[in-house]
Amino acid sequence: MTPSLALAVAGGVLIATGTYLLLERSLMRILAGVMLAGNGVNLLFLVAAGPAGLGPIVGTPEDEISDPLPQAMVLTAIVISLATSAFLLAMSYRSFQLEGHDEVADDVEDAIVRRRAEADLSSEAYVELTPEEQPDTESGGRSGRADD
């Protein structure tokens, strides 16, 4: 395979499209994103490997031998992407069975962190409070002291 700009651009487009799809909430789109990004990386590995050559057989001149390492890495990546695809398909099917859709739900902990970050005004003016003045948001109103 002779390295060309068209193959490098095609690999970049596959990776960019796969990254965009990975940011979606549907598991099927995430699966498509993983597959596209994986194929883009595999294409870039083969483009970076250089031109095709002969097999590494004794007696072959060194400048005509192709490097087998990128090809082995691509074969390994194909097997890993197949296993990842099977896992995502199973997870999507199970999610559809349980909930009727394959959307990834918001995490409860992420929502709490987001609310705390939006309510935080310490970046505008930092005033250090004593432990008695600080609101107790972690323990649900319990301070952990014996007199409570």
Side-chain angles (χ1 to χ4, degrees):
M1 172 183 285
T2 303
S4 69
L5 182 62
L7 291 175
V9 169
V13 167
L14 284 173
I15 291 173
T17 307
T19 303
Y20 176 76
L21 288 174
L22 278 171
L23 299 176
E24 296 289 329
R25 298 183 64 87
S26 170
L27 286 175
M28 291 306 290
R29 288 182 185 228
I30 292 172
L31 172 64
V34 166
M35 293 174 69
L36 283 175
N39 287 332
V41 169
N42 291 344
L43 182 62
L44 288 180
F45 263 128
L46 291 178
V47 167
L54 301 175
I57 299 174
V58 176
T60 307
E62 286 185 24
D63 57 343
E64 296 179 11
I65 296 176
S66 65
D67 187 14
L69 182 63
Q71 297 169 13
M73 291 176 70
V74 167
L75 284 174
T76 305
I78 289 171
V79 171
I80 291 171
S81 67
L82 176 69
T84 305
S85 299
F87 174 71
L88 281 171
L89 276 173
M91 195 164 52
S92 176
Y93 178 70
R94 185 65 177 158
S95 174
F96 187 79
Q97 276 185 334
L98 292 176
E99 300 172 9
H101 58 80
D102 68 342
E103 298 283 325
V104 178
D106 277 339
D107 188 24
V108 176
E109 295 294 325
D110 287 342
I112 292 171
V113 169
R114 187 181 317 115
R115 279 197 310 268
R116 286 184 184 166
E118 289 171 355
D120 187 17
L121 301 176
S122 64
S123 61
E124 295 176 10
Y126 179 72
V127 178
E128 189 167 349
L129 301 175
T130 63
E132 291 82 25
E133 295 173 336
Q134 290 181 348
D136 185 19
T137 58
E138 296 295 322
S139 62
R142 298 182 308 266
S143 64
R145 293 182 291 198
D147 59 346
D148 282 343

